[in-house]
């Protein structure tokens, strides 16, 4: 299993540009998450999904959109990039056991995004 | 006040020392996670706890639900243990995790 795969690893955007951060997992996990990590801050939840076709907002959803058309893929879209979106983005997934709400998380390697 | 507080923020120790990292939280939880973030940025899940104690190799995690406190211990520390250790809690009845800001551990040879 490849686990959770994120692309790209690095990206520089100009203000107002748009892009999609890709996330795919091959572990048949129902739960998938997008987090951002700013220097000196804890991970903040942007959006999450409990299964294909279902998404919900996290703590910091403004400026982002997601979709979950398949179990494997959970892309994160930035429509009009702003400097405040400069951050490191992590995708994660968790196991679909009956108690999956309490299952360990599997993280992608992160995407370092700079908006100038 | 953050719902999850970690201490210390930074810790430097000599190789071989016993390490303790603490995590306190202020609300009822269903589970607590300890994560390790390597210098390269990748995040690995170390433990998930809802009670008691878990051990994996030189790492030990404990949780006291009544005191709303968890500790991560590393025995016989090694420079490869240098990383940021992150505590995260899952609130009762909630699919989301709340993260602490992490403890940066540096082990000197």
């Amino acid at each position: 299993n490849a686990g959770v795969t994120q692309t790209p690893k690095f990206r520089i955007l100009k203000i107002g540009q748009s892009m999609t951060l890709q996330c795919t997992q091959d572990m048949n996990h129902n739960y998938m998450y997008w987090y951002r990590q700013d220097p000196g801050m804890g991970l903040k939840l942007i959006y999450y999904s409990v299964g294909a076709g279902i998404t919900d907002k996290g703590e910091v959803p403004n400026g982002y959109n997601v979709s979950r058309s398949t179990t494997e893929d959970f892309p994160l879209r930035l429509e009009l990039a702003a400097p405040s979106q400069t951050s490191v983005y992590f995708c994660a997934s968790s196991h679909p056991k009956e108690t999956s709400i309490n299952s360990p998380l599997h993280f992608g390697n992160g995407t370092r995004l700079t908006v100038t | 006040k953050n719902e999850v507080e970690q201490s210390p923020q930074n810790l430097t120790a000599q190789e071989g020392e016993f390490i303790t990292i603490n995590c306190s939280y202020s609300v009822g939880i269903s589970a607590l996670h300890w994560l390790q973030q390597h210098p390269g940025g990748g995040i690995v899940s170390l433990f998930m706890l809802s009670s008691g104690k878990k051990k994996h190799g030189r790492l030990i995690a404990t949780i006291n639900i009544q005191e709303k406190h968890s500790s991560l211990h590393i025995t016989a520390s090694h420079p490869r243990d240098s990383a940021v250790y992150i505590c995260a809690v899952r609130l009762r009845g909630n699919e989301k995790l709340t993260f602490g800001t992490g403890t940066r551990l540096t082990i000197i040879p």
Side-chain angles (χ1 to χ4, degrees):
Chain A
N1 287 350
V4 179
T5 303
Q6 273 184 251
T7 56
K9 290 185 179 175
F10 304 94
R11 183 72 185 268
I12 299 173
L13 284 181
K14 294 190 185 304
I15 294 171
Q17 286 186 319
S18 59
M19 76 163 293
T20 299
L21 281 66
Q22 301 292 345
C23 176
T24 188
Q25 51 89 10
D26 60 359
M27 298 172 283
N28 199 33
H29 287 178
N30 283 348
Y31 285 21
M32 295 187 75
Y33 309 83
W34 274 107
Y35 294 96
R36 60 178 287 173
Q37 186 179 40
D38 300 317
M41 306 290 287
L43 287 154
K44 299 291 185 186
L45 182 64
I46 305 171
Y47 271 95
Y48 68 104
S49 170
V50 299
I54 305 168
T55 63
D56 211 342
K57 295 178 180 179
E59 303 167 78
V60 290
N62 291 345
Y64 307 95
N65 276 302
V66 293
S67 60
R68 186 91 184 272
S69 56
T70 66
T71 299
E72 294 78 19
D73 299 308
F74 191 42
L76 178 72
R77 177 90 178 153
L78 283 70
E79 289 295 349
L80 291 169
S84 61
Q85 293 177 304
T86 294
S87 189
V88 180
Y89 291 83
F90 288 96
C91 179
S93 71
S94 68
H95 199 279
K97 287 195 264 190
E98 183 178 342
T99 55
S100 63
I101 195 167
N102 280 325
S103 294
L105 285 176
H106 298 259
F107 283 84
N109 287 330
T111 297
R112 188 173 295 273
L113 175 67
T114 302
V115 182
T116 61
Chain B
K1 187 181 187 300
N2 291 336
E3 288 175 318
V4 182
E5 298 277 356
Q6 285 187 241
S7 63
Q9 285 187 312
N10 294 284
L11 178 56
T12 300
Q14 292 289 134
E15 182 174 356
E17 285 189 41
F18 182 81
I19 303 299
T20 297
I21 298 170
N22 298 299
C23 176
S24 296
Y25 51 93
S26 57
V27 294
I29 67 168
S30 60
L32 181 143
H33 296 253
W34 281 104
L35 309 167
Q36 180 192 54
Q37 186 168 25
H38 300 294
I43 300 174
V44 175
S45 180
L46 297 175
F47 294 105
M48 182 184 65
L49 295 161
S50 54
S51 64
K53 175 180 172 179
K54 286 190 177 179
K55 184 177 190 291
H56 186 261
R58 294 180 294 106
L59 273 60
I60 303 164
T62 64
I63 188 168
N64 185 318
I65 296 295
Q66 287 73 29
E67 294 186 3
K68 294 187 171 59
H69 181 267
S70 175
S71 293
L72 177 68
H73 305 286
I74 305 174
T75 62
S77 58
H78 190 276
R80 66 175 174 265
D81 297 325
S82 298
V84 176
Y85 292 84
I86 302 169
C87 170
V89 300
R90 192 181 299 283
L91 305 182
R92 281 204 201 100
N94 196 321
E95 300 89 358
K96 297 174 275 193
L97 287 174
T98 301
F99 290 81
T101 54
T103 293
R104 183 175 299 276
L105 175 65
T106 303
I107 303 298
I108 299 170

